[in-house]
């Protein structure tokens, strides 16, 4: 497909009051920019991320996590139009469509972007802007239409007249451009406005003046373009995202006992008839099977695969682990960097000690099928407990345990008869 994306991520994000660049703030362990890059993953064949403020950190993140994206430096940051103009040299001979997005709108979905681009292509548009309606449109650019309803221009809040401010249709900040037709606009934008910036929004008027086919695509679910400008916005976006995830899971046959206290990342798959009990928090990418019981108060930290009929009980933390079917991790345990076979039982208070603070490395714990671990066991990784072996309560496992054996470390229990009685006498 002939589509490239440009993601604007050079702005300062002043209202976050943070040392971390805004687009690297996270929801469920994934950065805001990560959500946007994932949304274009199967749509665009090449992605450009415009970086500026804290450029090195954002560049590092993109390089380490998204091989299909390149960063382009914008310095100084003179506005959204100026930001897009930074890709002009890279796209000099490109003959296709360019999708423009903001790095601070993590709720946008791939489905919406696909529909948006299809609309753009189907009406042979040269420039399509996504718009949506807000009861309170404050701070967004307003979509100004002609009397006959066609697009006229976009006016920013700070440049708007009182009548324009009353308009509820706003610019979502997402555009699709027929690059060959629009690219010359970027050398002709001016900064003659209230903020002294080169506004990307001015390309609408430029397109109209140059007799191009300019269109707006109205997005129904305005939450999808909810932008993050503050910590309060970040919390609100997490809530929107969660509500959507939980509704989808419930539609697919997952019981969520208390949606108000349940937090599940959008990158978590859950099978039918699994029950999620209250106060469970699941972040990152995970796959949970059918007929499982998770929680109450379970914490899955990502990289977790759980097969069918598994129980992960209260105050259990799981990270980077594969737990096979019919296995129970009932209470107060930490399972990290581990592989648990089928029909394994983990006693209360079991810990996989996966981290060596001296070498700063993590090691793996492997428990084969039918292993039973007694309560309050520490499994010091790297360690393997072979099929059917048992571990006595309170054991510190520092060696591999052969199949069907018992591993136990226990000092003999002393009984001092009448010890208490004598003390009280
Ligand atoms: C922008 C739009 C507004 C729209 C809103 C939607 C303009 C002029 N205004 O306003 O019409 O309703 O988004 O959310 O485009 N950025 C850069 N370089 C810059 C300036 C900004 O990369 O020089 C990036 C920011 O990091 C951000 C995005 O562009 O990701 C939008 O910039 P921001 O300053 O947040 O624009 P808004 O005022 O929200
Ligand atoms: Ca913004």
């Amino acid at each position: 497909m002939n589509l490239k994306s440009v993601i604007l991520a050079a702005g300062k994000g002043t209202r976050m009051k943070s040392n971390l660049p805004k687009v690297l703030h996270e929801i469920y362990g994934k950065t805001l920019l990560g959500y946007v890059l994932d949304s274009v993953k199967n749509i665009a064949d090449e992605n450009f991320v415009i970086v500026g403020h804290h450029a090195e950190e954002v560049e590092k993140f993109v390089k380490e996590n998204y091989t299909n994206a390149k960063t382009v430096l914008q310095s100084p940051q003179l506005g959204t139009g100026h930001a897009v103009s930074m890709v002009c040299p890279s796209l000099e001979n490109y003959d296709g469509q360019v999708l423009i997005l903001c790095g601070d709108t993590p709720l946008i979905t791939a489905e919406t972007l696909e529909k948006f681009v299809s609309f753009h292509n189907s009406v042979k548009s040269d420039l399509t802007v996504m718009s949506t309606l807000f009861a309170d449109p404050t701070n967004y650019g307003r979509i100004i239409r002609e009397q006959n309803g066609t697009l006229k221009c976009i006016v920013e809040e700070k440049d708007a007249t009182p009548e324009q401010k009353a308009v509820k249709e706003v610019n979502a900040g997402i555009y699709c451009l027929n690059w060959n037709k629009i690219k010359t606009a970027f050398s002709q934008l001016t900064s003659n406005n209230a903020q002294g910036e080169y506004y990307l929004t001015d390309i609408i008027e430029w397109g109209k003046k140059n007799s191009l086919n300019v269109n707006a695509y109205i997005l129904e679910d305005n939450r999808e373009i909810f932008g993050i400008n503050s910590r309060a916005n970040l919390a609100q976006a997490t809530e929107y995202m969660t509500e959507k995830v939980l509704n989808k899971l419930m539609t697919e046959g997952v019981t969520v006992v208390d949606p108000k206290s349940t937090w599940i990342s959008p990158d978590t798959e859950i099978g039918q008839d699994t029950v999620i009990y209250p106060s469970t928090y699941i972040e990152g990418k995970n796959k949970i099977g059918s007929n499982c019981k998770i929680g109450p108060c379970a914490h899955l930290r990502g990289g977790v695969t759980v097969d069918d009929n598994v129980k992960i009980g209260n105050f259990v933390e799981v990270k980077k682990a594969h737990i096979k079917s019919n296995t129970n991790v009932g209470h107060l345990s930490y399972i990290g960097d581990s592989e648990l076979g089928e029909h394994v039982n983990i006693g209360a208070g079991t810990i996989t000690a996966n981290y060596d603070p001296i070498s700063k490395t993590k090691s793996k714990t492997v428990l084969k099928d039918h292993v039973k671990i007694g309560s309050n066991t520490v499994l010091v990784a790297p360690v393997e407990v072979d099929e059917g072996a048992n571990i006595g309560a309170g054991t510190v496992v520092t060696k591999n345990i052969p199949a069907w054996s018992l591993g136990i470390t226990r000092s003999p229990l002393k009984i001092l008869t009448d010890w208490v009685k004598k003390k009280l006498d």
Side-chain angles (χ1 to χ4, degrees):
M1 121 210 36
N2 225 3
L3 183 72
K4 298 193 189 298
S5 84
V6 176
I7 299 166
L8 308 185
K12 201 160 177 201
T14 317
R15 283 166 288 173
M16 293 300 282
K17 303 249 166 68
S18 177
N19 284 324
L20 190 68
K22 176 164 82 173
V23 293
L24 296 189
H25 278 261
E26 296 183 348
I27 298 179
Y28 286 121
K30 182 155 126 187
T31 63
L32 304 182
L33 181 57
Y35 281 101
V36 179
L37 278 163
D38 281 347
S39 74
V40 291
K41 184 169 67 186
N42 299 319
I43 301 173
D45 43 32
E46 195 177 15
N47 308 290
F48 296 93
V49 179
I50 310 297
V51 298
H53 186 68
H54 282 292
E56 315 76 50
E57 276 169 79
V58 183
E59 269 167 17
K60 185 165 177 279
F61 166 78
V62 173
K63 203 171 267 168
E64 285 173 4
N65 297 284
Y66 291 88
T67 47
N68 61 345
K70 288 189 182 121
T71 54
V72 179
L73 185 67
Q74 182 201 13
S75 178
Q77 293 95 45
L78 303 177
T80 49
H82 178 249
V84 176
S85 75
M86 298 294 113
V87 299
C88 287
S90 312
L91 296 180
E92 212 180 327
N93 300 313
Y94 175 62
D95 182 18
Q97 313 304 308
V98 174
L99 180 62
I100 296 173
L101 299 147
C102 292
D104 63 353
T105 51
L107 299 169
I108 190 73
T109 63
E111 299 80 66
T112 293
L113 293 176
E114 267 164 33
K115 282 189 207 157
F116 176 62
V117 174
S118 307
F119 169 81
H120 171 85
N121 290 333
S122 70
V123 300
K124 298 203 164 36
S125 183
D126 295 318
L127 163 52
T128 311
V129 57
M130 193 184 286
S131 75
T132 196
L133 298 168
F134 275 118
D136 175 11
T138 314
N139 288 330
Y140 286 93
R142 308 297 202 282
I143 300 280
I144 308 301
R145 290 179 181 268
E146 307 278 9
Q147 295 239 304
N148 65 6
T150 58
L151 263 186
K152 185 175 181 207
C153 61
I154 298 174
V155 177
E156 291 304 295
E157 171 94 20
K158 288 184 178 139
D159 301 292
T161 63
E163 298 91 80
Q164 289 170 330
K165 278 188 185 159
V167 172
K168 305 254 186 280
E169 186 181 7
V170 306
N171 169 23
I174 296 175
Y175 315 77
C176 197
L177 317 179
N178 180 341
W179 188 250
N180 262 339
K181 295 265 184 75
I182 306 289
K183 65 182 178 190
T184 46
F186 294 103
S187 55
Q188 294 173 23
L189 295 178
T190 60
S191 57
N192 185 17
N193 53 54
Q195 301 185 81
E197 289 183 359
Y198 295 91
Y199 287 168
L200 177 57
T201 45
D202 286 350
I203 59 174
I204 306 289
E205 260 185 307
W206 185 90
K208 298 281 290 184
K209 262 190 211 132
N210 288 273
S211 310
L212 298 182
N213 184 9
V214 180
N215 297 280
Y217 173 91
I218 303 178
L219 176 68
E220 278 193 19
D221 180 3
N222 59 21
R223 289 180 170 197
E224 277 200 34
I225 60 109
F226 185 75
I228 312 294
N229 295 310
S230 65
R231 307 277 179 160
N233 291 157
L234 191 64
Q236 183 71 67
T238 310
E239 206 177 310
Y240 286 161
M241 198 180 275
T242 308
E243 200 182 309
K244 212 164 159 183
V245 168
L246 298 181
N247 284 335
K248 179 167 176 280
L249 289 172
M250 289 189 281
T251 313
E252 290 167 354
V254 174
T255 295
V256 178
V257 175
D258 178 28
K260 289 189 296 301
S261 72
T262 304
W263 300 86
I264 302 180
S265 76
D267 293 331
T268 297
E269 282 174 50
I270 306 184
Q272 206 173 302
D273 290 318
T274 283
V275 182
I276 310 291
Y277 291 91
S279 296
T280 290
Y281 183 79
I282 302 181
E283 69 176 9
K285 210 170 172 172
N286 310 281
K287 193 167 182 212
I288 298 169
S290 304
N291 292 305
C292 295
K293 291 185 188 327
I294 312 290
C297 302
H299 181 194
L300 273 57
R301 287 172 44 204
V304 175
T305 303
V306 175
D307 296 347
D308 300 339
N309 300 310
V310 167
K311 186 175 184 315
I312 295 177
N314 36 202
F315 303 104
V316 172
E317 176 179 340
V318 188
K319 184 217 77 171
K320 256 197 193 168
H322 183 185
I323 301 179
K324 295 192 183 157
S325 57
N326 300 299
T327 283
N328 291 336
V329 190
H331 352 248
L332 304 153
S333 292
Y334 171 60
I335 305 293
D337 300 291
S338 301
E339 224 173 84
L340 274 55
E342 294 181 12
H343 296 278
V344 168
N345 192 65
I346 304 287
T350 296
I351 304 294
T352 56
N354 58 336
Y355 182 62
D356 176 353
I358 307 284
S359 66
K360 294 195 169 63
T361 52
K362 293 197 178 129
S363 302
K364 214 169 158 186
T365 300
V366 178
L367 309 180
K368 294 286 177 62
D369 295 349
H370 301 285
V371 160
K372 312 290 175 213
I373 306 288
S375 294
N376 211 28
T377 292
V378 181
L379 295 148
V380 183
V383 74
E384 190 171 322
V385 181
D386 210 340
E387 189 176 349
N390 285 15
I391 304 297
T395 296
V396 179
V397 183
T398 51
K399 291 180 202 154
N400 292 346
I401 309 293
W404 307 104
S405 312
L406 172 69
I408 184 161
T409 52
R410 190 173 293 165
S411 38
L413 172 70
K414 275 193 259 179
I415 298 179
L416 307 181
T417 315
D418 288 339
W419 185 89
V420 180
K421 215 169 159 195
K422 281 179 202 153
K423 288 269 175 197
L424 294 174
D425 281 345

